[in-house]
mmCIF file of all heavy atoms in Angstrom:
data_model
loop_
_atom_site.group_PDB
_atom_site.id
_atom_site.type_symbol
_atom_site.label_atom_id
_atom_site.label_comp_id
_atom_site.label_asym_id
_atom_site.label_seq_id
_atom_site.Cartn_x
_atom_site.Cartn_y
_atom_site.Cartn_z
ATOM 1 N N ARG A 271 -56.261 -9.724 32.567
ATOM 2 C CA ARG A 271 -57.503 -10.226 31.975
ATOM 3 C C ARG A 271 -58.125 -11.300 32.860
ATOM 4 O O ARG A 271 -59.327 -11.274 33.145
ATOM 5 C CB ARG A 271 -57.215 -10.772 30.571
ATOM 6 C CG ARG A 271 -58.420 -11.436 29.911
ATOM 7 C CD ARG A 271 -58.077 -11.877 28.489
ATOM 8 N NE ARG A 271 -56.886 -12.697 28.427
ATOM 9 C CZ ARG A 271 -56.847 -13.997 28.740
ATOM 10 N NH1 ARG A 271 -57.957 -14.618 29.145
ATOM 11 N NH2 ARG A 271 -55.731 -14.676 28.648
ATOM 12 N N ARG A 272 -57.295 -12.245 33.311
ATOM 13 C CA ARG A 272 -57.832 -13.345 34.120
ATOM 14 C C ARG A 272 -58.244 -12.885 35.514
ATOM 15 O O ARG A 272 -59.214 -13.411 36.084
ATOM 16 C CB ARG A 272 -56.806 -14.477 34.198
ATOM 17 C CG ARG A 272 -56.767 -15.295 32.914
ATOM 18 C CD ARG A 272 -55.708 -16.351 32.907
ATOM 19 N NE ARG A 272 -55.776 -17.290 34.025
ATOM 20 C CZ ARG A 272 -54.973 -18.354 34.124
ATOM 21 N NH1 ARG A 272 -54.062 -18.590 33.162
ATOM 22 N NH2 ARG A 272 -55.057 -19.167 35.151
ATOM 23 N N PHE A 273 -57.548 -11.896 36.067
ATOM 24 C CA PHE A 273 -57.913 -11.403 37.388
ATOM 25 C C PHE A 273 -59.314 -10.781 37.363
ATOM 26 O O PHE A 273 -60.148 -11.069 38.224
ATOM 27 C CB PHE A 273 -56.895 -10.368 37.872
ATOM 28 C CG PHE A 273 -57.062 -9.983 39.321
ATOM 29 C CD1 PHE A 273 -56.324 -10.619 40.303
ATOM 30 C CD2 PHE A 273 -57.975 -8.999 39.712
ATOM 31 C CE1 PHE A 273 -56.484 -10.290 41.652
ATOM 32 C CE2 PHE A 273 -58.144 -8.667 41.036
ATOM 33 C CZ PHE A 273 -57.397 -9.315 42.019
ATOM 34 N N GLN A 274 -59.584 -9.962 36.344
ATOM 35 C CA GLN A 274 -60.903 -9.325 36.274
ATOM 36 C C GLN A 274 -61.995 -10.347 35.998
ATOM 37 O O GLN A 274 -63.100 -10.259 36.551
ATOM 38 C CB GLN A 274 -60.912 -8.231 35.218
ATOM 39 C CG GLN A 274 -62.229 -7.465 35.173
ATOM 40 C CD GLN A 274 -62.086 -6.067 34.610
ATOM 41 O OE1 GLN A 274 -61.065 -5.729 34.034
ATOM 42 N NE2 GLN A 274 -63.114 -5.254 34.773
ATOM 43 N N LYS A 275 -61.689 -11.331 35.165
ATOM 44 C CA LYS A 275 -62.684 -12.362 34.876
ATOM 45 C C LYS A 275 -63.012 -13.163 36.139
ATOM 46 O O LYS A 275 -64.178 -13.493 36.405
ATOM 47 C CB LYS A 275 -62.169 -13.296 33.784
ATOM 48 C CG LYS A 275 -63.144 -14.408 33.417
ATOM 49 C CD LYS A 275 -62.579 -15.296 32.321
ATOM 50 C CE LYS A 275 -63.561 -16.418 31.980
ATOM 51 N NZ LYS A 275 -62.997 -17.326 30.932
ATOM 52 N N ALA A 276 -62.001 -13.479 36.945
ATOM 53 C CA ALA A 276 -62.196 -14.315 38.123
ATOM 54 C C ALA A 276 -62.851 -13.570 39.270
ATOM 55 O O ALA A 276 -63.702 -14.110 39.981
ATOM 56 C CB ALA A 276 -60.857 -14.893 38.581
ATOM 57 N N THR A 277 -62.467 -12.304 39.471
ATOM 58 C CA THR A 277 -62.921 -11.573 40.659
ATOM 59 C C THR A 277 -64.005 -10.546 40.382
ATOM 60 O O THR A 277 -64.655 -10.064 41.306
ATOM 61 C CB THR A 277 -61.735 -10.845 41.324
ATOM 62 O OG1 THR A 277 -61.281 -9.788 40.452
ATOM 63 C CG2 THR A 277 -60.592 -11.807 41.614
ATOM 64 N N GLY A 278 -64.175 -10.172 39.108
ATOM 65 C CA GLY A 278 -65.135 -9.129 38.770
ATOM 66 C C GLY A 278 -64.603 -7.729 38.982
ATOM 67 O O GLY A 278 -65.336 -6.747 38.793
ATOM 68 N N LEU A 279 -63.323 -7.605 39.382
ATOM 69 C CA LEU A 279 -62.705 -6.312 39.640
ATOM 70 C C LEU A 279 -61.331 -6.263 38.988
ATOM 71 O O LEU A 279 -60.704 -7.299 38.762
ATOM 72 C CB LEU A 279 -62.526 -6.089 41.151
ATOM 73 C CG LEU A 279 -63.779 -6.053 42.017
ATOM 74 C CD1 LEU A 279 -63.392 -6.139 43.487
ATOM 75 C CD2 LEU A 279 -64.595 -4.800 41.751
ATOM 76 N N THR A 280 -60.854 -5.057 38.708
ATOM 77 C CA THR A 280 -59.454 -4.919 38.320
ATOM 78 C C THR A 280 -58.591 -5.136 39.561
ATOM 79 O O THR A 280 -59.058 -5.002 40.700
ATOM 80 C CB THR A 280 -59.163 -3.527 37.747
ATOM 81 O OG1 THR A 280 -59.328 -2.549 38.791
ATOM 82 C CG2 THR A 280 -60.092 -3.201 36.577
ATOM 83 N N ALA A 281 -57.325 -5.456 39.352
ATOM 84 C CA ALA A 281 -56.425 -5.658 40.485
ATOM 85 C C ALA A 281 -56.301 -4.381 41.314
ATOM 86 O O ALA A 281 -56.235 -4.435 42.556
ATOM 87 C CB ALA A 281 -55.054 -6.108 39.985
ATOM 88 N N THR A 282 -56.294 -3.228 40.643
ATOM 89 C CA THR A 282 -56.194 -1.956 41.360
ATOM 90 C C THR A 282 -57.417 -1.722 42.237
ATOM 91 O O THR A 282 -57.302 -1.349 43.414
ATOM 92 C CB THR A 282 -56.035 -0.791 40.367
ATOM 93 O OG1 THR A 282 -54.830 -0.974 39.626
ATOM 94 C CG2 THR A 282 -55.989 0.539 41.094
ATOM 95 N N ASP A 283 -58.609 -1.940 41.690
ATOM 96 C CA ASP A 283 -59.829 -1.732 42.460
ATOM 97 C C ASP A 283 -59.910 -2.718 43.617
ATOM 98 O O ASP A 283 -60.349 -2.383 44.722
ATOM 99 C CB ASP A 283 -61.054 -1.866 41.561
ATOM 100 C CG ASP A 283 -62.313 -1.277 42.179
ATOM 101 O OD1 ASP A 283 -62.177 -0.420 43.077
ATOM 102 O OD2 ASP A 283 -63.415 -1.673 41.778
ATOM 103 N N TYR A 284 -59.474 -3.943 43.379
ATOM 104 C CA TYR A 284 -59.467 -4.975 44.425
ATOM 105 C C TYR A 284 -58.594 -4.526 45.588
ATOM 106 O O TYR A 284 -58.994 -4.588 46.755
ATOM 107 C CB TYR A 284 -58.952 -6.279 43.827
ATOM 108 C CG TYR A 284 -59.188 -7.518 44.645
ATOM 109 C CD1 TYR A 284 -60.219 -8.392 44.318
ATOM 110 C CD2 TYR A 284 -58.365 -7.853 45.716
ATOM 111 C CE1 TYR A 284 -60.433 -9.563 45.035
ATOM 112 C CE2 TYR A 284 -58.575 -9.007 46.450
ATOM 113 C CZ TYR A 284 -59.604 -9.861 46.105
ATOM 114 O OH TYR A 284 -59.827 -11.010 46.831
ATOM 115 N N ALA A 285 -57.379 -4.045 45.267
ATOM 116 C CA ALA A 285 -56.472 -3.577 46.306
ATOM 117 C C ALA A 285 -57.046 -2.381 47.048
ATOM 118 O O ALA A 285 -56.937 -2.276 48.280
ATOM 119 C CB ALA A 285 -55.116 -3.218 45.688
ATOM 120 N N GLN A 286 -57.684 -1.466 46.321
ATOM 121 C CA GLN A 286 -58.286 -0.300 46.962
ATOM 122 C C GLN A 286 -59.382 -0.709 47.934
ATOM 123 O O GLN A 286 -59.514 -0.134 49.029
ATOM 124 C CB GLN A 286 -58.833 0.650 45.902
ATOM 125 C CG GLN A 286 -57.757 1.391 45.123
ATOM 126 C CD GLN A 286 -58.330 2.240 44.004
ATOM 127 O OE1 GLN A 286 -59.444 2.007 43.536
ATOM 128 N NE2 GLN A 286 -57.568 3.226 43.566
ATOM 129 N N ARG A 287 -60.173 -1.689 47.561
ATOM 130 C CA ARG A 287 -61.254 -2.128 48.445
ATOM 131 C C ARG A 287 -60.697 -2.791 49.707
ATOM 132 O O ARG A 287 -61.276 -2.664 50.794
ATOM 133 C CB ARG A 287 -62.202 -3.061 47.696
ATOM 134 C CG ARG A 287 -63.047 -2.310 46.684
ATOM 135 C CD ARG A 287 -63.933 -3.212 45.844
ATOM 136 N NE ARG A 287 -64.648 -2.425 44.853
ATOM 137 C CZ ARG A 287 -65.819 -1.820 45.057
ATOM 138 N NH1 ARG A 287 -66.424 -1.949 46.231
ATOM 139 N NH2 ARG A 287 -66.386 -1.111 44.107
ATOM 140 N N LEU A 288 -59.593 -3.502 49.592
ATOM 141 C CA LEU A 288 -58.959 -4.072 50.781
ATOM 142 C C LEU A 288 -58.428 -2.966 51.696
ATOM 143 O O LEU A 288 -58.566 -3.026 52.920
ATOM 144 C CB LEU A 288 -57.820 -5.005 50.374
ATOM 145 C CG LEU A 288 -58.230 -6.351 49.769
ATOM 146 C CD1 LEU A 288 -57.010 -7.086 49.226
ATOM 147 C CD2 LEU A 288 -58.934 -7.219 50.810
ATOM 148 N N ARG A 289 -57.801 -1.956 51.107
ATOM 149 C CA ARG A 289 -57.288 -0.840 51.902
ATOM 150 C C ARG A 289 -58.434 -0.089 52.597
ATOM 151 O O ARG A 289 -58.330 0.272 53.769
ATOM 152 C CB ARG A 289 -56.519 0.132 51.006
ATOM 153 C CG ARG A 289 -55.227 -0.423 50.434
ATOM 154 C CD ARG A 289 -54.529 0.657 49.618
ATOM 155 N NE ARG A 289 -53.345 0.158 48.943
ATOM 156 C CZ ARG A 289 -52.474 0.943 48.314
ATOM 157 N NH1 ARG A 289 -52.675 2.252 48.250
ATOM 158 N NH2 ARG A 289 -51.408 0.432 47.728
ATOM 159 N N VAL A 290 -59.499 0.163 51.852
ATOM 160 C CA VAL A 290 -60.642 0.874 52.427
ATOM 161 C C VAL A 290 -61.285 0.049 53.541
ATOM 162 O O VAL A 290 -61.717 0.597 54.564
ATOM 163 C CB VAL A 290 -61.656 1.238 51.329
ATOM 164 C CG1 VAL A 290 -62.996 1.650 51.921
ATOM 165 C CG2 VAL A 290 -61.097 2.355 50.453
ATOM 166 N N ALA A 291 -61.371 -1.273 53.372
ATOM 167 C CA ALA A 291 -61.930 -2.126 54.422
ATOM 168 C C ALA A 291 -61.116 -2.002 55.711
ATOM 169 O O ALA A 291 -61.672 -1.944 56.814
ATOM 170 C CB ALA A 291 -61.976 -3.572 53.957
ATOM 171 N N LYS A 292 -59.793 -1.966 55.575
ATOM 172 C CA LYS A 292 -58.949 -1.782 56.757
ATOM 173 C C LYS A 292 -59.165 -0.397 57.353
ATOM 174 O O LYS A 292 -59.240 -0.243 58.587
ATOM 175 C CB LYS A 292 -57.478 -1.973 56.370
ATOM 176 C CG LYS A 292 -56.508 -1.802 57.539
ATOM 177 C CD LYS A 292 -56.771 -2.841 58.630
ATOM 178 C CE LYS A 292 -55.765 -2.727 59.758
ATOM 179 N NZ LYS A 292 -56.035 -3.711 60.842
ATOM 180 N N ALA A 293 -59.293 0.608 56.509
ATOM 181 C CA ALA A 293 -59.539 1.965 56.994
ATOM 182 C C ALA A 293 -60.872 2.048 57.730
ATOM 183 O O ALA A 293 -60.985 2.740 58.762
ATOM 184 C CB ALA A 293 -59.516 2.947 55.826
ATOM 185 N N GLN A 294 -61.900 1.370 57.229
ATOM 186 C CA GLN A 294 -63.192 1.363 57.915
ATOM 187 C C GLN A 294 -63.048 0.800 59.334
ATOM 188 O O GLN A 294 -63.632 1.323 60.290
ATOM 189 C CB GLN A 294 -64.210 0.537 57.124
ATOM 190 C CG GLN A 294 -64.688 1.199 55.839
ATOM 191 C CD GLN A 294 -65.601 0.301 55.044
ATOM 192 O OE1 GLN A 294 -65.145 -0.646 54.391
ATOM 193 N NE2 GLN A 294 -66.894 0.570 55.093
ATOM 194 N N GLU A 295 -62.281 -0.266 59.461
ATOM 195 C CA GLU A 295 -62.036 -0.861 60.780
ATOM 196 C C GLU A 295 -61.346 0.133 61.711
ATOM 197 O O GLU A 295 -61.742 0.295 62.877
ATOM 198 C CB GLU A 295 -61.189 -2.116 60.611
ATOM 199 C CG GLU A 295 -60.800 -2.792 61.918
ATOM 200 C CD GLU A 295 -59.823 -3.929 61.693
ATOM 201 O OE1 GLU A 295 -59.828 -4.533 60.600
ATOM 202 O OE2 GLU A 295 -59.031 -4.202 62.619
ATOM 203 N N LEU A 296 -60.326 0.828 61.201
ATOM 204 C CA LEU A 296 -59.586 1.781 62.025
ATOM 205 C C LEU A 296 -60.438 2.994 62.392
ATOM 206 O O LEU A 296 -60.342 3.526 63.502
ATOM 207 C CB LEU A 296 -58.320 2.231 61.289
ATOM 208 C CG LEU A 296 -57.286 1.131 61.030
ATOM 209 C CD1 LEU A 296 -56.159 1.661 60.152
ATOM 210 C CD2 LEU A 296 -56.731 0.589 62.339
ATOM 211 N N LEU A 297 -61.278 3.423 61.473
ATOM 212 C CA LEU A 297 -62.166 4.550 61.761
ATOM 213 C C LEU A 297 -63.238 4.178 62.781
ATOM 214 O O LEU A 297 -63.619 4.988 63.626
ATOM 215 C CB LEU A 297 -62.832 5.032 60.469
ATOM 216 C CG LEU A 297 -61.936 5.777 59.477
ATOM 217 C CD1 LEU A 297 -62.608 5.840 58.109
ATOM 218 C CD2 LEU A 297 -61.617 7.185 59.983
ATOM 219 N N GLN A 298 -63.713 2.952 62.684
ATOM 220 C CA GLN A 298 -64.802 2.529 63.557
ATOM 221 C C GLN A 298 -64.328 2.260 64.980
ATOM 222 O O GLN A 298 -65.026 2.586 65.943
ATOM 223 C CB GLN A 298 -65.468 1.269 62.979
ATOM 224 C CG GLN A 298 -66.727 0.833 63.727
ATOM 225 C CD GLN A 298 -67.458 -0.286 63.015
ATOM 226 O OE1 GLN A 298 -67.072 -0.701 61.926
ATOM 227 N NE2 GLN A 298 -68.505 -0.788 63.627
ATOM 228 N N PHE A 299 -63.134 1.672 65.131
ATOM 229 C CA PHE A 299 -62.712 1.212 66.449
ATOM 230 C C PHE A 299 -61.513 1.975 67.022
ATOM 231 O O PHE A 299 -61.137 1.740 68.169
ATOM 232 C CB PHE A 299 -62.375 -0.282 66.404
ATOM 233 C CG PHE A 299 -63.540 -1.137 65.999
ATOM 234 C CD1 PHE A 299 -63.577 -1.739 64.757
ATOM 235 C CD2 PHE A 299 -64.611 -1.322 66.860
ATOM 236 C CE1 PHE A 299 -64.654 -2.526 64.377
ATOM 237 C CE2 PHE A 299 -65.691 -2.106 66.495
ATOM 238 C CZ PHE A 299 -65.716 -2.707 65.247
ATOM 239 N N GLY A 300 -60.885 2.858 66.238
ATOM 240 C CA GLY A 300 -59.701 3.559 66.713
ATOM 241 C C GLY A 300 -59.918 5.050 66.878
ATOM 242 O O GLY A 300 -60.996 5.581 66.597
ATOM 243 N N GLN A 301 -58.849 5.723 67.325
ATOM 244 C CA GLN A 301 -58.917 7.155 67.598
ATOM 245 C C GLN A 301 -57.940 7.960 66.750
ATOM 246 O O GLN A 301 -57.897 9.177 66.868
ATOM 247 C CB GLN A 301 -58.592 7.402 69.085
ATOM 248 C CG GLN A 301 -59.529 6.711 70.062
ATOM 249 C CD GLN A 301 -60.910 7.346 70.107
ATOM 250 O OE1 GLN A 301 -61.100 8.444 69.588
ATOM 251 N NE2 GLN A 301 -61.865 6.658 70.711
ATOM 252 N N HIS A 302 -57.155 7.295 65.902
ATOM 253 C CA HIS A 302 -56.126 7.995 65.147
ATOM 254 C C HIS A 302 -56.756 8.977 64.160
ATOM 255 O O HIS A 302 -57.847 8.731 63.624
ATOM 256 C CB HIS A 302 -55.245 7.011 64.375
ATOM 257 C CG HIS A 302 -54.425 6.125 65.271
ATOM 258 N ND1 HIS A 302 -53.702 6.603 66.341
ATOM 259 C CD2 HIS A 302 -54.203 4.783 65.241
ATOM 260 C CE1 HIS A 302 -53.082 5.599 66.935
ATOM 261 N NE2 HIS A 302 -53.382 4.485 66.294
ATOM 262 N N PRO A 303 -56.079 10.097 63.888
ATOM 263 C CA PRO A 303 -56.583 11.034 62.882
ATOM 264 C C PRO A 303 -56.608 10.409 61.499
ATOM 265 O O PRO A 303 -55.888 9.434 61.208
ATOM 266 C CB PRO A 303 -55.598 12.203 62.960
ATOM 267 C CG PRO A 303 -54.381 11.644 63.587
ATOM 268 C CD PRO A 303 -54.832 10.559 64.512
ATOM 269 N N ILE A 304 -57.436 10.979 60.641
ATOM 270 C CA ILE A 304 -57.638 10.404 59.309
ATOM 271 C C ILE A 304 -56.344 10.385 58.514
ATOM 272 O O ILE A 304 -56.080 9.435 57.760
ATOM 273 C CB ILE A 304 -58.748 11.187 58.571
ATOM 274 C CG1 ILE A 304 -60.100 10.905 59.250
ATOM 275 C CG2 ILE A 304 -58.800 10.817 57.089
ATOM 276 C CD1 ILE A 304 -61.230 11.786 58.786
ATOM 277 N N GLU A 305 -55.501 11.400 58.666
ATOM 278 C CA GLU A 305 -54.235 11.434 57.925
ATOM 279 C C GLU A 305 -53.355 10.237 58.285
ATOM 280 O O GLU A 305 -52.714 9.642 57.420
ATOM 281 C CB GLU A 305 -53.494 12.737 58.221
ATOM 282 C CG GLU A 305 -54.144 13.975 57.626
ATOM 283 C CD GLU A 305 -55.402 14.409 58.364
ATOM 284 O OE1 GLU A 305 -55.639 13.898 59.493
ATOM 285 O OE2 GLU A 305 -56.149 15.244 57.815
ATOM 286 N N ARG A 306 -53.318 9.879 59.573
ATOM 287 C CA ARG A 306 -52.512 8.719 59.977
ATOM 288 C C ARG A 306 -53.124 7.415 59.457
ATOM 289 O O ARG A 306 -52.409 6.513 59.025
ATOM 290 C CB ARG A 306 -52.379 8.673 61.499
ATOM 291 C CG ARG A 306 -51.588 7.451 61.983
ATOM 292 C CD ARG A 306 -51.255 7.499 63.432
ATOM 293 N NE ARG A 306 -50.679 6.242 63.871
ATOM 294 C CZ ARG A 306 -50.284 6.001 65.106
ATOM 295 N NH1 ARG A 306 -50.376 6.951 66.043
ATOM 296 N NH2 ARG A 306 -49.782 4.829 65.433
ATOM 297 N N ILE A 307 -54.450 7.319 59.489
ATOM 298 C CA ILE A 307 -55.103 6.117 58.964
ATOM 299 C C ILE A 307 -54.804 5.970 57.480
ATOM 300 O O ILE A 307 -54.530 4.858 56.997
ATOM 301 C CB ILE A 307 -56.618 6.182 59.239
ATOM 302 C CG1 ILE A 307 -56.878 6.016 60.740
ATOM 303 C CG2 ILE A 307 -57.366 5.116 58.437
ATOM 304 C CD1 ILE A 307 -58.320 6.209 61.150
#
Side-chain angles (χ1 to χ4, degrees):
R271 175 177 53 79
R272 283 176 56 175
F273 190 95
Q274 184 155 13
K275 180 180 179 182
T277 68
L279 298 167
T280 66
T282 298
D283 197 22
Y284 194 102
Q286 288 175 338
R287 288 176 183 273
L288 287 172
R289 293 183 185 189
V290 165
K292 180 62 177 178
Q294 288 175 284
E295 177 187 333
L296 296 173
L297 288 164
Q298 187 172 356
F299 299 108
Q301 300 288 347
H302 294 313
I304 291 170
E305 290 74 13
R306 178 171 172 180
I307 290 174

